[in-house]
Coordinates of all heavy atoms in Angstrom, one line a residue:
M25 N -13.6 -48.7 -61.8 CA -12.9 -47.5 -61.4 C -11.6 -48.0 -60.8 O -11.5 -48.6 -59.8 CB -13.7 -46.8 -60.3 CG -13.1 -45.5 -59.8 SD -14.2 -44.6 -58.7 CE -15.3 -43.8 -59.8
P26 N -10.5 -47.7 -61.5 CA -9.2 -48.1 -61.1 C -8.7 -47.4 -59.8 O -9.0 -46.2 -59.7 CB -8.2 -47.8 -62.3 CG -9.0 -46.8 -63.0 CD -10.4 -47.0 -62.8
T27 N -8.0 -48.1 -59.0 CA -7.4 -47.4 -57.8 C -5.9 -47.2 -58.2 O -5.2 -48.0 -58.7 CB -7.4 -48.4 -56.6 OG1 -8.8 -48.6 -56.3 CG2 -6.8 -47.8 -55.4
I28 N -5.5 -46.0 -57.8 CA -4.1 -45.6 -58.0 C -3.5 -45.2 -56.7 O -4.1 -44.5 -55.9 CB -4.0 -44.4 -59.0 CG1 -4.4 -44.9 -60.4 CG2 -2.6 -43.8 -59.0 CD1 -4.5 -43.8 -61.5
I29 N -2.3 -45.8 -56.4 CA -1.7 -45.5 -55.2 C -0.6 -44.4 -55.5 O 0.4 -44.6 -56.2 CB -1.0 -46.7 -54.6 CG1 -1.9 -47.9 -54.6 CG2 -0.4 -46.4 -53.2 CD1 -3.2 -47.7 -53.7
A30 N -0.8 -43.2 -54.9 CA 0.1 -42.1 -55.1 C 0.8 -41.7 -53.8 O 0.1 -41.5 -52.8 CB -0.7 -40.9 -55.7
T31 N 2.1 -41.6 -53.9 CA 2.8 -41.1 -52.7 C 3.2 -39.7 -52.9 O 3.7 -39.3 -53.9 CB 4.1 -42.0 -52.5 OG1 3.7 -43.4 -52.4 CG2 4.9 -41.6 -51.3
D32 N 2.8 -38.9 -51.9 CA 3.1 -37.4 -52.0 C 4.5 -37.1 -51.6 O 5.3 -38.0 -51.3 CB 2.0 -36.6 -51.2 CG 2.1 -36.8 -49.7 OD1 3.2 -37.2 -49.2 OD2 1.1 -36.6 -49.1
R33 N 4.9 -35.8 -51.6 CA 6.2 -35.4 -51.3 C 6.6 -35.5 -49.9 O 7.8 -35.4 -49.5 CB 6.5 -34.0 -51.8 CG 6.3 -33.9 -53.3 CD 6.8 -32.6 -53.9 NE 6.5 -32.5 -55.3 CZ 5.4 -32.0 -55.8 NH1 4.5 -31.4 -55.1 NH2 5.2 -32.0 -57.2
D34 N 5.6 -35.8 -49.0 CA 5.9 -36.1 -47.6 C 6.0 -37.6 -47.3 O 6.2 -38.0 -46.2 CB 4.8 -35.5 -46.7 CG 4.8 -34.0 -46.8 OD1 5.9 -33.4 -46.9 OD2 3.7 -33.4 -46.8
G35 N 5.9 -38.4 -48.4 CA 6.0 -39.8 -48.2 C 4.7 -40.5 -47.8 O 4.6 -41.7 -47.5
Q36 N 3.6 -39.7 -47.8 CA 2.3 -40.2 -47.5 C 1.6 -40.9 -48.7 O 1.6 -40.3 -49.8 CB 1.4 -39.1 -47.0 CG 0.1 -39.4 -46.5 CD 0.1 -39.8 -45.0 OE1 0.9 -39.2 -44.2 NE2 -0.7 -40.7 -44.6
E37 N 1.1 -42.1 -48.5 CA 0.4 -42.8 -49.6 C -1.1 -42.4 -49.6 O -1.7 -42.3 -48.6 CB 0.5 -44.3 -49.4 CG 1.8 -44.9 -49.9 CD 1.8 -46.4 -50.0 OE1 0.7 -47.0 -49.7 OE2 2.8 -47.0 -50.4
H38 N -1.6 -42.3 -50.8 CA -3.0 -42.0 -51.0 C -3.6 -43.0 -52.0 O -3.0 -43.2 -53.1 CB -3.2 -40.6 -51.6 CG -2.6 -39.5 -50.7 ND1 -3.2 -38.7 -49.8 CD2 -1.3 -39.1 -50.7 CE1 -2.4 -37.9 -49.3 NE2 -1.2 -38.1 -49.8
A39 N -4.7 -43.7 -51.6 CA -5.3 -44.6 -52.6 C -6.4 -43.8 -53.3 O -7.4 -43.3 -52.6 CB -5.9 -45.8 -51.8
L40 N -6.3 -43.5 -54.5 CA -7.2 -42.7 -55.3 C -8.2 -43.5 -56.0 O -7.8 -44.5 -56.7 CB -6.5 -41.8 -56.3 CG -5.2 -41.1 -55.8 CD1 -4.6 -40.2 -56.9 CD2 -5.5 -40.2 -54.6
A41 N -9.5 -43.2 -56.0 CA -10.5 -43.8 -56.8 C -10.4 -43.0 -58.1 O -11.0 -42.0 -58.3 CB -11.8 -43.7 -56.2
A42 N -9.6 -43.5 -59.1 CA -9.3 -42.7 -60.3 C -10.4 -42.9 -61.3 O -11.2 -43.9 -61.3 CB -8.0 -43.2 -60.9
K43 N -10.5 -41.9 -62.2 CA -11.4 -42.0 -63.3 C -10.7 -42.4 -64.6 O -9.8 -41.6 -65.0 CB -12.1 -40.6 -63.5 CG -13.0 -40.2 -62.3 CD -13.7 -38.9 -62.6 CE -14.6 -38.5 -61.4 NZ -14.6 -37.1 -61.2
A44 N -11.1 -43.5 -65.1 CA -10.6 -43.9 -66.4 C -11.0 -42.9 -67.5 O -12.1 -42.3 -67.4 CB -11.1 -45.3 -66.8
G45 N -10.1 -42.7 -68.4 CA -10.4 -41.7 -69.5 C -9.7 -40.4 -69.2 O -9.5 -39.6 -70.2
L46 N -9.5 -40.1 -68.0 CA -8.7 -38.8 -67.6 C -7.3 -39.2 -67.6 O -6.9 -40.3 -67.5 CB -9.2 -38.3 -66.3 CG -10.6 -37.8 -66.1 CD1 -10.8 -37.2 -64.8 CD2 -11.0 -36.8 -67.2
S47 N -6.4 -38.1 -67.6 CA -5.0 -38.4 -67.5 C -4.7 -38.6 -66.0 O -5.5 -38.3 -65.1 CB -4.2 -37.2 -67.9 OG -4.4 -36.1 -67.1
L48 N -3.5 -39.2 -65.8 CA -3.1 -39.4 -64.4 C -2.9 -38.0 -63.7 O -3.3 -37.9 -62.5 CB -1.7 -40.1 -64.4 CG -1.1 -40.3 -63.1 CD1 -1.9 -41.1 -62.1 CD2 0.3 -41.1 -63.2
M49 N -2.4 -37.0 -64.4 CA -2.3 -35.7 -63.8 C -3.7 -35.2 -63.3 O -3.8 -34.7 -62.2 CB -1.7 -34.7 -64.8 CG -1.6 -33.3 -64.4 SD -3.1 -32.3 -64.6 CE -3.1 -32.0 -66.4
E50 N -4.7 -35.3 -64.2 CA -6.0 -34.8 -63.8 C -6.5 -35.6 -62.6 O -7.2 -35.0 -61.7 CB -7.0 -35.0 -65.0 CG -6.7 -34.1 -66.1 CD -7.4 -34.4 -67.4 OE1 -7.5 -35.6 -67.8 OE2 -8.0 -33.4 -68.0
N51 N -6.3 -36.9 -62.5 CA -6.7 -37.7 -61.3 C -6.0 -37.2 -60.1 O -6.5 -37.1 -59.0 CB -6.5 -39.2 -61.6 CG -7.7 -39.8 -62.3 OD1 -8.8 -39.9 -61.7 ND2 -7.5 -40.1 -63.6
L52 N -4.7 -37.0 -60.2 CA -3.9 -36.5 -59.0 C -4.4 -35.2 -58.5 O -4.7 -35.0 -57.4 CB -2.4 -36.4 -59.4 CG -1.7 -37.7 -59.7 CD1 -0.3 -37.4 -60.3 CD2 -1.6 -38.7 -58.5
R53 N -4.6 -34.3 -59.5 CA -5.0 -32.9 -59.1 C -6.5 -32.9 -58.5 O -6.7 -32.3 -57.6 CB -5.0 -32.1 -60.4 CG -5.2 -30.6 -60.2 CD -5.3 -29.9 -61.6 NE -6.4 -30.5 -62.4 CZ -6.7 -30.3 -63.6 NH1 -5.9 -29.5 -64.3 NH2 -7.7 -30.9 -64.2
D54 N -7.3 -33.8 -59.1 CA -8.7 -33.8 -58.6 C -8.8 -34.4 -57.2 O -9.8 -34.3 -56.6 CB -9.6 -34.6 -59.6 CG -9.8 -33.9 -60.9 OD1 -9.4 -32.7 -61.1 OD2 -10.4 -34.6 -61.9
N55 N -7.8 -35.1 -56.8 CA -7.7 -35.7 -55.5 C -6.8 -34.9 -54.6 O -6.3 -35.4 -53.5 CB -7.3 -37.2 -55.6 CG -8.4 -38.1 -56.1 OD1 -9.2 -38.5 -55.3 ND2 -8.4 -38.3 -57.4
D56 N -6.6 -33.6 -54.9 CA -5.9 -32.7 -54.1 C -4.4 -33.0 -53.8 O -3.9 -32.6 -52.8 CB -6.6 -32.5 -52.8 CG -8.0 -31.9 -53.0 OD1 -8.2 -31.1 -53.9 OD2 -8.9 -32.3 -52.2
L57 N -3.8 -33.8 -54.7 CA -2.4 -33.9 -54.6 C -1.7 -32.7 -55.2 O -2.3 -32.0 -56.1 CB -1.9 -35.2 -55.2 CG -2.0 -36.4 -54.2 CD1 -3.3 -37.1 -54.5 CD2 -0.8 -37.3 -54.2
D58 N -0.5 -32.4 -54.7 CA 0.1 -31.1 -55.1 C 0.8 -31.3 -56.4 O 2.1 -31.4 -56.5 CB 1.1 -30.8 -54.0 CG 1.8 -29.4 -54.2 OD1 1.2 -28.6 -55.0 OD2 2.8 -29.2 -53.6
V59 N 0.0 -31.2 -57.5 CA 0.6 -31.2 -58.9 C 0.2 -29.9 -59.5 O -1.0 -29.6 -59.7 CB -0.1 -32.4 -59.6 CG1 0.4 -32.4 -61.1 CG2 0.2 -33.7 -59.0
A60 N 1.2 -29.1 -59.8 CA 0.9 -27.7 -60.3 C 0.3 -27.8 -61.7 O -0.7 -27.1 -62.0 CB 2.2 -26.9 -60.3
A61 N 0.9 -28.6 -62.6 CA 0.3 -28.8 -63.9 C 0.0 -27.5 -64.6 O -1.1 -27.2 -65.1 CB -0.9 -29.7 -63.9
I62 N 1.0 -26.6 -64.6 CA 0.7 -25.2 -65.0 C 0.4 -25.1 -66.5 O -0.2 -24.1 -66.9 CB 1.9 -24.2 -64.6 CG1 3.2 -24.6 -65.2 CG2 2.0 -24.1 -63.1 CD1 4.3 -23.6 -64.9
C63 N 0.8 -26.0 -67.3 CA 0.5 -25.9 -68.7 C -0.9 -26.6 -69.0 O -1.3 -26.6 -70.2 CB 1.6 -26.5 -69.6 SG 1.6 -28.4 -69.7
G64 N -1.5 -27.2 -68.0 CA -2.8 -27.8 -68.2 C -2.8 -29.1 -68.9 O -3.8 -29.6 -69.3
G65 N -1.6 -29.7 -69.1 CA -1.5 -31.0 -69.7 C -1.1 -31.0 -71.1 O -1.3 -32.0 -71.9
C66 N -0.5 -29.9 -71.5 CA 0.0 -29.7 -72.9 C 1.4 -30.2 -73.2 O 2.0 -30.0 -74.2 CB -0.1 -28.3 -73.4 SG -1.8 -27.7 -73.4
C67 N 2.0 -30.9 -72.2 CA 3.3 -31.4 -72.3 C 4.4 -30.3 -72.6 O 5.2 -30.4 -73.5 CB 3.4 -32.5 -73.4 SG 4.9 -33.5 -73.3
S68 N 4.2 -29.2 -71.8 CA 5.2 -28.1 -72.0 C 5.7 -27.5 -70.7 O 6.4 -26.5 -70.7 CB 4.6 -27.0 -72.8 OG 3.4 -26.5 -72.2
C69 N 5.4 -28.1 -69.5 CA 5.9 -27.5 -68.3 C 6.7 -28.4 -67.3 O 7.5 -28.0 -66.6 CB 4.7 -26.9 -67.5 SG 3.6 -28.1 -66.7
A70 N 6.4 -29.7 -67.4 CA 7.0 -30.7 -66.5 C 6.7 -30.6 -65.0 O 7.4 -31.2 -64.2 CB 8.5 -30.8 -66.8
T71 N 5.7 -29.8 -64.7 CA 5.3 -29.7 -63.3 C 4.3 -30.8 -62.8 O 3.8 -30.7 -61.7 CB 4.7 -28.3 -63.0 OG1 3.5 -28.1 -63.8 CG2 5.6 -27.2 -63.3
C72 N 4.2 -31.8 -63.7 CA 3.3 -32.9 -63.3 C 4.2 -34.2 -63.3 O 3.7 -35.3 -63.4 CB 2.2 -33.1 -64.4 SG 2.9 -33.5 -66.0
H73 N 5.5 -34.0 -63.0 CA 6.5 -35.1 -63.0 C 6.2 -36.1 -61.9 O 6.0 -35.7 -60.7 CB 7.9 -34.4 -62.8 CG 9.0 -35.3 -62.9 ND1 10.3 -34.9 -62.6 CD2 9.2 -36.6 -63.1 CE1 11.2 -35.8 -62.8 NE2 10.5 -36.9 -63.1
V74 N 6.2 -37.4 -62.2 CA 6.1 -38.4 -61.3 C 7.1 -39.5 -61.6 O 7.6 -39.6 -62.7 CB 4.7 -39.1 -61.3 CG1 3.6 -38.1 -60.8 CG2 4.3 -39.7 -62.6
Y75 N 7.3 -40.3 -60.5 CA 8.1 -41.6 -60.7 C 7.1 -42.7 -60.7 O 6.3 -42.9 -59.8 CB 9.1 -41.7 -59.6 CG 10.1 -40.6 -59.4 CD1 10.3 -40.0 -58.2 CD2 10.8 -40.1 -60.5 CE1 11.1 -38.9 -58.0 CE2 11.7 -39.0 -60.3 CZ 11.8 -38.4 -59.1 OH 12.7 -37.4 -58.9
V76 N 7.2 -43.6 -61.7 CA 6.4 -44.7 -61.8 C 7.0 -45.9 -61.2 O 8.2 -46.2 -61.4 CB 6.0 -45.0 -63.3 CG1 5.2 -46.3 -63.4 CG2 5.3 -43.8 -63.9
D77 N 6.3 -46.7 -60.3 CA 6.9 -47.9 -59.7 C 7.4 -48.8 -60.8 O 6.7 -49.0 -61.9 CB 5.8 -48.5 -58.9 CG 6.3 -49.7 -58.1 OD1 6.5 -50.8 -58.8 OD2 6.4 -49.6 -56.9
A78 N 8.5 -49.4 -60.6 CA 9.2 -50.2 -61.7 C 8.3 -51.3 -62.2 O 8.3 -51.7 -63.3 CB 10.5 -50.7 -61.2
D79 N 7.5 -51.9 -61.3 CA 6.6 -53.0 -61.6 C 5.5 -52.6 -62.6 O 4.9 -53.5 -63.2 CB 5.9 -53.5 -60.4 CG 6.9 -54.3 -59.5 OD1 8.0 -54.6 -59.9 OD2 6.5 -54.5 -58.3
W80 N 5.3 -51.3 -62.8 CA 4.2 -50.8 -63.6 C 4.7 -50.2 -64.9 O 3.9 -49.9 -65.8 CB 3.4 -49.8 -62.9 CG 2.5 -50.5 -61.9 CD1 2.7 -50.7 -60.6 CD2 1.2 -51.0 -62.2 NE1 1.7 -51.4 -60.0 CE2 0.7 -51.6 -61.0 CE3 0.4 -51.1 -63.3 CZ2 -0.5 -52.2 -60.9 CZ3 -0.8 -51.7 -63.3 CH2 -1.3 -52.2 -62.1
L81 N 6.0 -50.1 -65.1 CA 6.5 -49.5 -66.3 C 6.0 -50.2 -67.6 O 5.6 -49.5 -68.6 CB 8.0 -49.4 -66.3 CG 8.6 -48.5 -65.2 CD1 10.0 -48.7 -65.1 CD2 8.2 -47.0 -65.6
G82 N 5.9 -51.5 -67.6 CA 5.5 -52.2 -68.8 C 4.0 -52.1 -69.1 O 3.6 -52.4 -70.3
A83 N 3.3 -51.6 -68.2 CA 1.8 -51.5 -68.4 C 1.5 -50.1 -69.1 O 0.4 -49.9 -69.6 CB 1.1 -51.6 -67.1
L84 N 2.4 -49.2 -69.1 CA 2.2 -47.9 -69.7 C 2.5 -47.9 -71.2 O 3.3 -48.6 -71.7 CB 3.0 -46.8 -69.0 CG 2.9 -46.8 -67.5 CD1 3.8 -45.7 -66.9 CD2 1.4 -46.5 -67.1
D85 N 1.8 -47.0 -71.8 CA 2.1 -46.7 -73.2 C 3.5 -46.2 -73.3 O 3.9 -45.5 -72.4 CB 1.1 -45.8 -73.9 CG -0.3 -46.4 -74.0 OD1 -0.4 -47.6 -74.1 OD2 -1.2 -45.6 -74.0
P86 N 4.2 -46.4 -74.4 CA 5.6 -45.9 -74.5 C 5.6 -44.4 -74.4 O 4.7 -43.7 -74.8 CB 6.1 -46.4 -75.9 CG 5.1 -47.5 -76.2 CD 3.8 -47.2 -75.5
Q87 N 6.7 -43.9 -73.9 CA 6.9 -42.4 -73.8 C 7.2 -41.8 -75.2 O 8.0 -42.3 -75.9 CB 8.1 -42.2 -72.9 CG 8.2 -40.8 -72.3 CD 9.3 -40.8 -71.2 OE1 10.4 -41.4 -71.4 NE2 9.1 -40.1 -70.2
A88 N 6.4 -40.8 -75.5 CA 6.6 -40.1 -76.7 C 7.9 -39.2 -76.6 O 8.4 -38.9 -75.5 CB 5.5 -39.2 -77.1
M89 N 8.5 -38.9 -77.8 CA 9.7 -38.2 -77.8 C 9.6 -36.8 -77.1 O 10.6 -36.4 -76.4 CB 10.2 -38.0 -79.3 CG 11.6 -37.4 -79.4 SD 12.9 -38.4 -78.6 CE 13.0 -39.7 -79.8
D90 N 8.5 -36.1 -77.3 CA 8.4 -34.7 -76.7 C 8.3 -34.8 -75.2 O 8.9 -34.0 -74.5 CB 7.3 -33.9 -77.3 CG 5.9 -34.6 -77.2 OD1 5.9 -35.8 -76.9 OD2 4.9 -33.9 -77.3
E91 N 7.6 -35.9 -74.7 CA 7.6 -36.0 -73.3 C 9.0 -36.4 -72.7 O 9.5 -35.8 -71.7 CB 6.6 -37.2 -72.9 CG 6.6 -37.4 -71.4 CD 5.9 -38.7 -71.0 OE1 5.2 -39.3 -71.8 OE2 6.1 -39.1 -69.8
R92 N 9.7 -37.3 -73.4 CA 11.0 -37.7 -73.0 C 12.0 -36.5 -72.9 O 12.7 -36.3 -72.0 CB 11.5 -38.7 -74.0 CG 13.0 -39.1 -73.8 CD 13.2 -40.2 -72.8 NE 14.6 -40.5 -72.6 CZ 15.1 -41.2 -71.6 NH1 14.3 -41.7 -70.7 NH2 16.3 -41.4 -71.5
E93 N 11.9 -35.7 -74.0 CA 12.8 -34.5 -74.0 C 12.6 -33.5 -72.9 O 13.5 -33.0 -72.3 CB 12.7 -33.8 -75.4 CG 13.3 -34.6 -76.5 CD 13.1 -34.0 -77.9 OE1 12.4 -33.0 -78.0 OE2 13.6 -34.5 -78.8
L94 N 11.3 -33.4 -72.6 CA 10.9 -32.4 -71.5 C 11.3 -32.9 -70.1 O 11.9 -32.2 -69.3 CB 9.4 -32.1 -71.6 CG 8.9 -31.0 -70.7 CD1 9.6 -29.7 -70.9 CD2 7.4 -30.9 -70.9
V95 N 10.9 -34.2 -69.9 CA 11.1 -34.7 -68.5 C 12.6 -34.9 -68.2 O 13.1 -34.7 -67.0 CB 10.3 -36.0 -68.3 CG1 10.9 -37.2 -68.9 CG2 10.1 -36.2 -66.8
Q96 N 13.4 -35.2 -69.2 CA 14.8 -35.4 -68.9 C 15.6 -34.1 -68.6 O 16.7 -34.1 -68.1 CB 15.5 -36.2 -70.0 CG 15.7 -35.6 -71.3 CD 16.2 -36.5 -72.4 OE1 16.4 -37.7 -72.1 NE2 16.5 -36.0 -73.5
D97 N 14.9 -33.0 -68.8 CA 15.5 -31.7 -68.5 C 15.3 -31.4 -67.0 O 15.8 -30.4 -66.5 CB 15.0 -30.6 -69.3 CG 15.6 -30.6 -70.7 OD1 16.6 -31.2 -70.9 OD2 15.0 -30.0 -71.6
S98 N 14.4 -32.1 -66.3 CA 14.1 -31.9 -64.9 C 15.4 -32.2 -64.1 O 16.1 -33.1 -64.3 CB 13.0 -32.8 -64.5 OG 12.9 -32.8 -63.1
A99 N 15.6 -31.3 -63.1 CA 16.7 -31.6 -62.1 C 16.5 -32.9 -61.4 O 17.5 -33.4 -60.8 CB 16.8 -30.4 -61.1
H100 N 15.3 -33.4 -61.3 CA 15.0 -34.6 -60.6 C 14.7 -35.8 -61.5 O 14.0 -36.8 -61.0 CB 13.9 -34.3 -59.6 CG 14.2 -33.2 -58.6 ND1 13.7 -31.9 -58.8 CD2 14.9 -33.2 -57.5 CE1 14.2 -31.2 -57.9 NE2 14.9 -31.9 -57.1
F101 N 15.1 -35.7 -62.7 CA 14.9 -36.8 -63.7 C 15.6 -38.1 -63.2 O 16.7 -38.1 -62.7 CB 15.5 -36.4 -65.0 CG 15.5 -37.5 -66.0 CD1 14.3 -37.9 -66.6 CD2 16.7 -38.1 -66.4 CE1 14.3 -38.9 -67.6 CE2 16.7 -39.1 -67.4 CZ 15.5 -39.5 -67.9
R102 N 14.8 -39.2 -63.3 CA 15.4 -40.5 -63.0 C 15.1 -41.4 -64.2 O 13.9 -41.6 -64.6 CB 14.7 -41.1 -61.8 CG 15.0 -40.5 -60.5 CD 14.4 -41.3 -59.3 NE 14.5 -40.5 -58.1 CZ 13.8 -40.8 -57.0 NH1 13.0 -41.9 -57.0 NH2 13.8 -40.1 -56.0
D103 N 16.2 -41.8 -64.8 CA 16.1 -42.5 -66.1 C 15.2 -43.8 -65.9 O 15.5 -44.5 -64.9 CB 17.5 -42.9 -66.6 CG 17.5 -43.2 -68.1 OD1 16.5 -42.9 -68.8 OD2 18.5 -43.8 -68.5
G104 N 14.3 -44.0 -66.8 CA 13.5 -45.2 -66.7 C 12.2 -45.1 -66.0 O 11.2 -45.7 -66.4
V105 N 12.1 -44.2 -64.9 CA 10.9 -44.2 -64.1 C 10.2 -42.8 -64.2 O 9.1 -42.7 -63.7 CB 11.2 -44.6 -62.7 CG1 11.7 -46.0 -62.6 CG2 12.1 -43.7 -62.0
S106 N 10.9 -41.8 -64.7 CA 10.3 -40.5 -64.7 C 9.3 -40.4 -65.9 O 9.6 -40.7 -67.0 CB 11.4 -39.4 -65.0 OG 12.1 -39.1 -63.8
R107 N 8.1 -39.9 -65.5 CA 7.1 -39.7 -66.5 C 6.4 -38.4 -66.2 O 6.4 -37.9 -65.1 CB 6.1 -40.8 -66.5 CG 6.6 -42.2 -67.0 CD 7.0 -42.2 -68.5 NE 5.9 -41.8 -69.4 CZ 5.2 -42.6 -70.1 NH1 5.4 -44.0 -70.0 NH2 4.3 -42.2 -70.9
L108 N 5.8 -37.8 -67.2 CA 4.9 -36.7 -67.0 C 3.5 -37.2 -66.9 O 3.0 -37.9 -67.9 CB 5.0 -35.7 -68.2 CG 6.4 -35.1 -68.4 CD1 6.4 -34.1 -69.6 CD2 6.8 -34.4 -67.1
S109 N 2.8 -37.0 -65.8 CA 1.6 -37.6 -65.5 C 0.4 -37.2 -66.4 O -0.5 -37.9 -66.6 CB 1.2 -37.4 -64.0 OG 1.1 -36.1 -63.7
C110 N 0.6 -36.0 -67.1 CA -0.4 -35.6 -68.0 C -0.4 -36.4 -69.3 O -1.3 -36.3 -70.1 CB -0.2 -34.1 -68.3 SG 1.2 -33.7 -69.3
Q111 N 0.7 -37.2 -69.5 CA 0.8 -38.0 -70.7 C 0.4 -39.4 -70.5 O 0.6 -40.3 -71.4 CB 2.2 -37.8 -71.3 CG 2.6 -36.4 -71.6 CD 1.7 -35.8 -72.6 OE1 1.5 -36.2 -73.7 NE2 1.0 -34.7 -72.2
I112 N -0.1 -39.7 -69.3 CA -0.5 -41.1 -69.0 C -2.0 -41.1 -68.9 O -2.6 -40.4 -68.1 CB 0.1 -41.6 -67.7 CG1 1.7 -41.6 -67.8 CG2 -0.4 -42.9 -67.3 CD1 2.4 -41.9 -66.5
R113 N -2.6 -41.8 -69.8 CA -4.1 -41.9 -69.8 C -4.5 -43.1 -68.9 O -4.0 -44.2 -69.0 CB -4.6 -42.2 -71.2 CG -6.1 -42.3 -71.4 CD -6.8 -41.0 -71.3 NE -6.0 -39.9 -71.9 CZ -6.3 -38.6 -71.7 NH1 -7.3 -38.2 -70.9 NH2 -5.6 -37.6 -72.3
V114 N -5.3 -42.8 -67.9 CA -5.8 -43.8 -67.0 C -6.8 -44.7 -67.6 O -7.8 -44.3 -68.2 CB -6.3 -43.2 -65.7 CG1 -6.9 -44.2 -64.8 CG2 -5.2 -42.4 -64.9
T115 N -6.5 -46.0 -67.5 CA -7.5 -47.0 -68.0 C -7.7 -48.0 -66.9 O -7.0 -48.1 -65.9 CB -7.0 -47.7 -69.2 OG1 -5.8 -48.5 -68.9 CG2 -6.6 -46.8 -70.4
D116 N -8.7 -48.9 -67.1 CA -9.0 -49.9 -66.0 C -7.8 -50.8 -65.8 O -7.6 -51.4 -64.8 CB -10.2 -50.7 -66.4 CG -11.5 -49.9 -66.2 OD1 -11.5 -48.9 -65.4 OD2 -12.5 -50.1 -66.9
R117 N -7.0 -51.0 -66.9 CA -5.9 -52.0 -66.7 C -4.7 -51.4 -65.8 O -3.8 -52.1 -65.5 CB -5.3 -52.4 -68.1 CG -4.6 -51.4 -68.9 CD -4.2 -51.9 -70.3 NE -3.8 -50.8 -71.1 CZ -2.6 -50.4 -71.2 NH1 -1.6 -51.0 -70.5 NH2 -2.3 -49.4 -72.0
L118 N -4.9 -50.1 -65.5 CA -3.9 -49.5 -64.6 C -4.3 -49.6 -63.1 O -3.8 -48.9 -62.3 CB -3.6 -48.1 -65.0 CG -2.9 -47.9 -66.3 CD1 -2.6 -46.4 -66.6 CD2 -1.7 -48.7 -66.5
D119 N -5.3 -50.4 -62.8 CA -5.8 -50.6 -61.5 C -4.6 -51.1 -60.6 O -4.1 -52.1 -60.9 CB -6.9 -51.6 -61.4 CG -7.5 -51.8 -60.1 OD1 -7.6 -50.8 -59.3 OD2 -7.9 -52.9 -59.7
G120 N -4.3 -50.3 -59.6 CA -3.2 -50.7 -58.7 C -1.9 -49.9 -59.0 O -0.9 -50.1 -58.3
L121 N -1.9 -49.1 -60.0 CA -0.7 -48.3 -60.4 C -0.2 -47.6 -59.2 O -0.9 -47.0 -58.5 CB -1.1 -47.4 -61.6 CG 0.0 -46.4 -62.0 CD1 1.2 -47.1 -62.7 CD2 -0.6 -45.3 -62.9
R122 N 1.2 -47.6 -59.1 CA 1.8 -46.9 -58.0 C 2.7 -45.8 -58.6 O 3.6 -46.1 -59.5 CB 2.7 -47.8 -57.1 CG 1.8 -48.7 -56.2 CD 2.7 -49.6 -55.4 NE 1.9 -50.2 -54.4 CZ 1.6 -49.7 -53.2 NH1 2.1 -48.6 -52.8 NH2 0.8 -50.4 -52.3
V123 N 2.6 -44.6 -58.1 CA 3.4 -43.5 -58.5 C 3.8 -42.7 -57.3 O 3.1 -42.7 -56.3 CB 2.7 -42.6 -59.6 CG1 2.4 -43.4 -60.8 CG2 1.5 -41.9 -59.0
T124 N 4.9 -41.9 -57.5 CA 5.4 -41.0 -56.5 C 5.6 -39.6 -57.1 O 6.2 -39.5 -58.2 CB 6.7 -41.5 -55.9 OG1 6.5 -42.8 -55.3 CG2 7.3 -40.6 -54.8
L125 N 5.1 -38.6 -56.4 CA 5.3 -37.3 -57.0 C 6.8 -36.9 -56.9 O 7.4 -37.1 -55.8 CB 4.5 -36.2 -56.2 CG 3.1 -35.9 -56.7 CD1 2.2 -37.2 -56.7 CD2 2.4 -34.8 -55.9
A126 N 7.4 -36.5 -58.0 CA 8.7 -36.0 -58.0 C 8.8 -34.7 -57.2 O 7.9 -33.9 -57.2 CB 9.2 -35.9 -59.4
P127 N 10.0 -34.4 -56.7 CA 10.2 -33.0 -56.1 C 10.0 -31.9 -57.1 O 10.2 -32.1 -58.3 CB 11.7 -33.1 -55.6 CG 12.0 -34.5 -55.5 CD 11.2 -35.2 -56.6
E128 N 9.6 -30.8 -56.6 CA 9.4 -29.6 -57.5 C 10.8 -29.2 -58.0 O 11.7 -29.1 -57.2 CB 8.7 -28.5 -56.8 CG 7.2 -28.9 -56.6 CD 6.5 -27.7 -55.9 OE1 6.9 -27.5 -54.7 OE2 5.5 -27.2 -56.4
D129 N 10.9 -28.8 -59.2 CA 12.2 -28.2 -59.7 C 12.3 -26.8 -59.2 O 11.4 -26.1 -59.0 CB 12.2 -28.2 -61.2 CG 12.5 -29.6 -61.8 OD1 13.0 -30.5 -61.0 OD2 12.2 -29.9 -63.0
Ligands
FES24 S1 0.9 -30.6 -67.0 FE1 2.5 -29.5 -68.0 S2 3.7 -31.1 -68.8 FE2 2.2 -32.1 -67.7

């Protein structure tokens, strides 16, 4: 069971006992972090926007074009570290992953 360290919008860190096989968005939501995820993970709302710790970027699967196009429209987009958490599949190799919830648009 991978542990994910998620920082909420108040700067509070949460160590989540994540479930592999679910998306990062589902893990954040299931642990009561404030992720609206209004499209349910269909890559069409960007309300699951997170910043990935730079040390972990290489461990993630590459960003697909549709995710890239959507997230870069966010007012809080940060080149290189912005990801949509619904597009990140949690696996055991992401044990220790650090992310920060982006501000709401
Ligand atoms: S939940 Fe809508 S884009 Fe991720």
Side-chain angles (χ1 to χ4, degrees):
M25 184 176 279
T27 298
I28 290 174
I29 311 298
T31 302
D32 66 24
R33 296 189 186 96
D34 295 322
Q36 185 87 32
E37 276 192 2
H38 305 261
L40 313 181
K43 291 184 182 146
L46 296 183
S47 70
L48 176 58
M49 175 276 282
E50 291 169 313
N51 274 291
L52 295 171
R53 192 188 54 190
D54 290 353
N55 284 277
D56 298 325
L57 275 98
D58 186 18
V59 177
I62 60 175
C63 78
C66 297
C67 197
S68 60
C69 72
T71 60
C72 64
H73 183 185
V74 295
Y75 304 128
V76 176
D77 186 286
D79 290 344
W80 282 93
L81 291 169
L84 302 181
D85 291 333
Q87 197 171 38
M89 187 62 74
D90 58 345
E91 179 194 346
R92 170 85 183 167
E93 288 175 355
L94 186 59
V95 76
Q96 69 186 6
D97 284 342
S98 166
H100 301 99
F101 173 71
R102 292 187 193 165
D103 199 16
V105 299
S106 280
R107 293 293 305 257
L108 297 180
S109 59
C110 70
Q111 300 302 301
I112 296 173
R113 184 71 38 197
V114 172
T115 64
D116 288 334
R117 72 186 166 87
L118 296 184
D119 184 35
L121 173 70
R122 287 182 170 272
V123 299
T124 300
L125 271 59
E128 290 178 298
D129 283 341

